[in-house]
Amino acid sequence: MNSLTPDKTPVLVTGGAGFIGSHLVDFLLDKGHKVSILDDLSTGSHGNIAHCVDNPGCGFIEGTILDSDLVDKLISGAKLVFHLAAVVGVKNVVEFPRKGIEVNVGGTENVLRSAASYKCRVVLASSSEVYGHSRDIPFKEDGDRVLGPTNIQRWSYAASKALDEHLGLTYAAEGLPVSAVRYFNAYGPRIDESGYGSVIARFMSQAFKGEKLTLYGDGNQTRSFTYVSDTVEGTYLAGTHPDAVGEVFNIGSGDETSIRDLAHEICRIIGNDPAFDFKSFEDVYGPAFQDIYRRVPSIEKARNLMGFEPVLSLRDGLEKTIEWAREHYVSANNSPG
Ligand SMILES: NC(=O)c1ccc[n+]([C@@H]2O[C@H](COP(=O)([O-])OP(=O)(O)OC[C@H]3O[C@@H](n4cnc5c(N)ncnc54)[C@H](O)[C@@H]3O)[C@@H](O)[C@H]2O)c1
């Protein structure tokens, strides 16, 4: 019922030196795939893939998805592309909105155009951001999207990912096997401490330093945090299950957690007394910012069509993540709990 892909299928992972991409690479290598990684290391790192570049089945190419010749050459040797490279996260997009649009849309155009030439299966990494302000909880893939105005740059990320999906679906309609996955707050080992605004990374970092945890807004906003191995499983299914072709899937945990509860849980696991600082979104992202209050997926479609089932609870996932972060965060001079 799961994979139809022979294990040796050559696969390209764009953004494979990033957080989710590097876990996907590990998963693919474990299955015996031959994996090429294309990454410009703008937010990814050598460290994320250092353990696998000596694997004869794995090749790393430093370069950009905006280089259409390079993308074409790499896709010519692949049968399956997981396209994860992107300017990621609200903070980056608010700071570099044009770059975000150019990379996220232009890079995806390059990937899809070449994939069509070589009849290569594609999975596009999209985002729960595409739902915007929708109050239709839980979000369903065919639900309406509600985005704010174009003078608020955070929406350009959602718009760029939605445009990627539209473009991918036009290729799918012409017979190219394309699917898209909308990720909901992935977390786990390798989540970037200095990164693009992952709240779990930020809370762990502050807790290890013995600082108060900074909560934006009232802290009652909710998210569906998804352990990265579940994210990777859903991504792989989208690239291999026959019923996934031409479809868009929510890939999330389905559990709704408030940011305040998340902060408490991280403090509990690290062994700190909970202490919080509250900041307004305006103070963090500037006056023209709009947050999304609740973000919860329906995962029925992914479950019914391709057998996706997230397995890790937030508690277990946080324990694993914090165990990893104790060794990797806060460069030695702070005492982890
Ligand atoms: N982490 C999440 O919770 C989440 C949520 C929604 C969507 N996503 C999507 O998942 C994908 C992976 O995100 P992530 O969380 O692993 O972030 P990440 O920043 O760790 O990974 C993105 C990777 O893309 C690379 N990259 C950026 N621009 C590039 C370019 N022009 N050419 C080649 N490589 C480039 C970066 O160096 C990085 O390694 C992205 O498409 C992102 O939009 C992630």
Side-chain angles (χ1 to χ4, degrees):
M1 160 172 142
N2 278 352
S3 165
L4 286 188
T5 310
D7 277 351
K8 296 287 177 198
T9 302
V11 179
L12 173 66
V13 182
T14 75
F19 163 53
I20 299 173
S22 63
H23 285 281
L24 178 62
V25 168
D26 289 344
F27 180 94
L28 293 166
L29 289 171
D30 277 354
K31 285 204 171 290
H33 288 281
K34 189 171 171 294
V35 181
S36 302
I37 300 167
L38 172 62
D39 201 299
D40 71 354
L41 301 180
S42 51
T43 52
S45 75
H46 272 299
N48 285 343
I49 49 170
H51 59 284
C52 57
V53 287
D54 289 339
N55 184 323
C58 184
F60 171 63
I61 302 94
E62 185 171 345
T64 172
I65 51 169
L66 295 177
D67 181 342
S68 55
D69 291 339
L70 178 60
V71 168
D72 196 72
K73 185 171 157 219
L74 293 173
I75 291 184
S76 72
K79 290 266 180 276
L80 172 60
V81 183
F82 292 99
H83 175 45
L84 275 69
V87 174
V88 177
V90 171
K91 186 165 171 284
N92 270 335
V93 166
V94 169
E95 275 172 34
F96 311 106
R98 190 180 308 154
K99 185 178 170 204
I101 296 165
E102 286 171 358
V103 170
N104 296 359
V105 179
T108 302
E109 279 183 309
N110 287 341
V111 167
L112 287 167
R113 200 181 303 114
S114 294
S117 302
Y118 300 105
K119 302 191 177 3
C120 189
R121 189 163 175 170
V122 182
V123 177
L124 302 175
S126 183
S127 171
S128 56
E129 277 276 321
V130 300
Y131 291 103
H133 279 307
S134 169
R135 289 175 188 239
D136 207 358
I137 302 282
F139 296 152
K140 294 199 179 81
E141 291 84 345
D142 58 0
D144 285 342
R145 301 183 298 111
V146 184
L147 301 191
T150 50
N151 65 343
I152 295 188
Q153 286 299 354
R154 79 153 296 150
W155 299 116
S156 66
Y157 178 63
S160 72
K161 289 289 182 180
L163 195 53
D164 288 352
E165 290 185 20
H166 274 300
L167 192 61
L169 292 175
T170 67
Y171 279 92
E174 291 168 6
L176 188 71
V178 180
S179 325
V181 282
R182 294 178 178 166
Y183 294 143
F184 284 70
N185 291 71
Y187 73 98
R190 299 184 201 144
I191 197 161
D192 188 359
E193 182 187 6
S194 62
Y196 43 79
S198 158
V199 63
I200 290 183
R202 189 163 50 76
F203 282 172
M204 288 193 305
S205 182
Q206 289 183 313
F208 282 143
K209 292 178 197 158
E211 295 173 357
K212 289 183 181 175
L213 273 50
T214 313
L215 270 63
Y216 301 162
D218 62 11
N220 292 324
Q221 62 274 36
T222 65
R223 297 292 182 262
S224 154
F225 296 100
T226 314
Y227 193 69
V228 67
S229 56
D230 288 330
T231 307
V232 163
E233 182 74 37
T235 308
Y236 187 71
L237 284 169
T240 53
H241 198 288
D243 295 343
V245 169
E247 300 290 344
V248 176
F249 297 99
N250 290 335
I251 298 297
S253 77
D255 290 335
E256 183 173 16
T257 306
S258 75
I259 301 300
R260 199 185 278 257
D261 286 348
L262 173 77
H264 277 280
E265 189 62 9
I266 288 176
C267 288
R268 188 193 63 77
I269 296 171
I270 290 180
N272 293 6
D273 289 334
F276 308 133
D277 246 348
F278 289 87
K279 264 192 184 173
S280 71
F281 284 99
E282 293 72 28
D283 285 349
V284 184
Y285 293 114
F289 184 81
Q290 297 178 332
D291 189 40
I292 296 168
Y293 206 67
R294 289 180 73 195
R295 191 189 272 169
V296 188
S298 161
I299 54 171
E300 287 308 299
K301 183 177 175 185
R303 183 179 278 143
N304 294 339
L305 235 57
M306 55 182 195
F308 171 65
E309 199 60 65
V311 291
L312 243 84
S313 67
L314 182 63
R315 174 169 293 204
D316 290 348
L318 282 178
E319 277 176 3
K320 280 173 179 276
T321 308
I322 288 169
E323 189 183 320
W324 171 86
R326 275 185 207 281
E327 283 175 35
H328 293 84
Y329 274 21
V330 206
S331 36
N333 55 350
N334 296 291
S335 58

